[in-house]
Amino acid sequence: MAPSKALPVDYYTPFLSDLAKRRKPSPIRSLFPLEHTPGLISLLAGKPNPTTFPFTSFSFTAESPTKGEADVEVKIGSTELAHGLQYGATAGYEKLWEWFVGLQEFVHCRKKTEDWSISIGSGSQDLIYKAVAALVNPGDPVLVESPVYASILEEWPVGKPKPRVLYTVPAWQYGCNPTGMTATLERRKEVLALSREHDFIILEDDPYYYLYYGTAPRYPSYFNLEMEEPQTGRVLRFDSLSKILSAGIRIGFASGPKPLLDAINKHTATSNLQTASLTQVIVYKLLETWGYDTFIQHTKKVSNFYREKRDVFEAAMKKHLTGLAEWVAPEAGMFFWFKLLLTDDPSVEGDSQALIAEKAVKSGVLALPGTAFLPNDRKTAYVRAAFSLLSEEDVNEALRRLSKVIKDART
């Protein structure tokens, strides 16, 4: 097979929203790189003088992913601390940016020499919001993955614009979505072929990629698989550190075609300027100390933790909700997605909204009605329940209470 060729820069112009097309580079931030020119005296940016900052040093300890080893002590040097306390590049702290580029090569086999780039954001949700703003005008159609997406495209009404964007969360395909289906390798390749045939961009939101604990080998990402296509550049991937390092540290990164990341960076430059420099430096120092192999060891340790949590939750579901709910055990993430059996007639779709949002809360258990995840708030019997924090005792008590609420609703 011939090597994939990157799509030309001008290919992306029709995909950009009106807002993205109107955005201009920041007149200040676009000139930041020139400040590194030897001999140049910069009167450009209003950067505060670092001698006025009260912080003099930072150090921390982190748990070693390797069993039996002592905690890792990490010290942020003076040069790195200076970067962490000052305004930085819109796309991210350079050393962390480079580390993430290396991670995508290590995990997804995307070489740095290929025509793609990265942007660091304040969590992946920050980047997804900006990507949608860069690609979608108000009123534009957007595809969300569904078992019938292919036929929808083939039967799209004449005269109605086809969607330019498909939003998909691959981790939900490990038995977590409402249908309990798995996105097989063949299905993913079909999606990529459809993106080429019908000319749309795939937004691959994969925050649970490193929380996979299934027994079968994990399928390659769209970001990896598109290298088998005649051309690359139709996948914009989003990764998050929230689930594996810290939710509060708010760092995610997007990987994909540079023109789309440039549009995201223009948005960042006129909104929040950049992701916090200090948190980027802290994360970089930990990841640089670990290295890629140890980072992967850490993610496996975290995923095993959630597999055990999943097993506890499912055991409690079997004990309390057998005959009252249907589910498929997840193989990634920290949620169960299950259907309440509110009637004896399987053809009648129940509604979890009032039962979960009102009756269950009054009975002392809080979960999320499935309608929150469906277009147009349509009725559904599905519920999402998180199992990440609760003890075995609390899980059993919560599901015992929920069981009583369901039984009362069925009488």
Side-chain angles (χ1 to χ4, degrees), residues 48-334:
N49 193 302
T51 61
T52 66
F53 299 154
F55 306 100
T56 58
S57 66
F58 268 92
S59 61
F60 60 92
T61 58
E63 190 177 86
S64 173
T66 306
K67 188 175 181 179
E69 289 193 3
D71 288 354
V72 177
E73 294 187 10
V74 182
K75 181 175 176 59
I76 297 175
S78 58
T79 302
E80 289 156 337
L81 181 58
H83 282 291
L85 296 177
Q86 188 58 273
Y87 291 123
T90 302
Y93 175 48
E94 184 179 0
K95 289 185 177 180
L96 182 61
W97 190 95
E98 291 282 357
W99 201 94
F100 285 151
V101 169
L103 180 67
Q104 299 304 64
E105 179 173 357
F106 188 80
V107 174
H108 301 284
C109 303
R110 296 298 300 264
K111 295 186 181 300
K112 182 180 178 180
T113 52
E114 296 168 5
D115 198 4
W116 60 279
S117 190
I118 273 181
S119 181
I120 299 173
S122 301
S124 59
Q125 182 129 347
D126 170 50
L127 295 162
I128 293 166
Y129 169 78
K130 291 169 181 173
V132 171
L135 293 168
V136 180
N137 290 312
D140 280 356
V142 174
L143 288 173
V144 243
E145 198 165 44
S146 151
V148 294
Y149 66 87
S151 60
I152 287 176
L153 285 171
E154 297 299 339
E155 299 167 12
W156 201 259
V158 176
K160 186 174 181 180
K162 286 186 177 180
R164 300 196 300 264
V165 170
L166 164 66
Y167 173 78
T168 176
V169 185
W172 281 93
Q173 299 302 325
Y174 295 110
C176 295
N177 69 11
T179 64
M181 295 178 65
T182 296
T184 63
L185 180 61
E186 291 72 24
R187 178 177 171 86
R188 291 170 186 237
K189 290 182 177 181
E190 287 172 3
V191 170
L192 284 165
L194 286 166
S195 73
R196 186 174 70 252
E197 179 184 352
H198 296 279
D199 215 21
F200 59 80
I201 301 295
I202 298 172
L203 302 185
E204 182 180 24
D205 179 16
D206 213 353
Y208 300 104
Y209 180 83
Y210 293 106
L211 293 193
Y212 175 67
Y213 38 74
T215 55
R218 179 168 46 198
Y219 294 121
S221 64
Y222 286 110
F223 189 55
N224 170 276
L225 287 172
E226 77 162 342
M227 291 188 296
E228 300 177 10
E229 294 289 297
Q231 294 174 309
T232 60
R234 290 188 175 89
V235 176
L236 184 57
R237 177 179 172 81
F238 303 91
D239 284 279
S240 172
L241 299 185
S242 296
K243 314 298 186 295
I244 50 176
L245 288 189
S246 163
I249 215 160
R250 307 308 305 135
I251 287 185
F253 57 102
S255 311
K258 190 175 185 300
L260 299 186
L261 293 172
D262 287 343
I264 291 173
N265 290 337
K266 286 179 184 177
H267 189 158
T268 297
T270 57
S271 56
N272 58 317
L273 302 183
Q274 61 171 91
T275 302
S277 298
L278 185 56
T279 55
Q280 290 188 78
V281 170
I282 290 171
V283 167
Y284 166 71
K285 286 301 295 182
L286 175 61
L287 296 177
E288 187 254 350
T289 301
W290 276 354
Y292 296 118
D293 287 318
T294 303
F295 170 75
I296 295 300
Q297 280 185 332
H298 170 73
T299 65
K300 289 179 178 178
K301 180 179 178 181
V302 174
S303 63
N304 285 335
F305 172 88
Y306 286 115
R307 175 181 50 77
E308 293 172 1
K309 285 285 190 183
R310 184 232 19 212
D311 292 345
V312 167
F313 199 91
E314 185 172 29
M317 290 187 76
K318 289 177 179 178
K319 178 179 179 180
H320 299 287
L321 297 185
T322 296
L324 302 176
E326 294 177 342
W327 64 88
V328 175
E331 294 185 324
M334 52 185 68

Side-chain angles (χ1 to χ4, degrees), residues 331-351:
E331 294 185 324
M334 52 185 68
F335 303 106
F336 263 86
W337 178 261
F338 56 97
K339 182 180 181 180
L340 303 183
L341 304 178
L342 300 176
T343 71
D344 292 326
D345 186 350
S347 65
V348 176
E349 176 77 5
D351 188 356

Side-chain angles (χ1 to χ4, degrees), residues 8-18 20-21 134-135 164 259-260:
V9 172
D10 58 6
Y11 166 81
Y12 299 96
T13 303
F15 287 89
L16 296 178
S17 66
D18 295 338
K21 290 174 182 175
L135 293 168
R164 300 196 300 264
L260 299 186

Side-chain angles (χ1 to χ4, degrees), residues 365-407:
V365 59
L366 185 64
L368 196 56
T371 187
F373 302 95
L374 301 179
N376 305 318
D377 297 324
R378 70 173 184 260
K379 183 178 76 171
T380 179
Y382 282 92
V383 178
R384 194 193 77 169
F387 56 79
S388 55
L389 297 176
L390 298 184
S391 66
E392 183 173 357
E393 180 182 0
D394 284 344
V395 165
N396 274 281
E397 179 58 21
L399 296 185
R400 184 195 66 78
R401 294 175 185 179
L402 182 58
S403 170
K404 185 177 186 307
V405 172
I406 299 171
K407 289 174 181 176

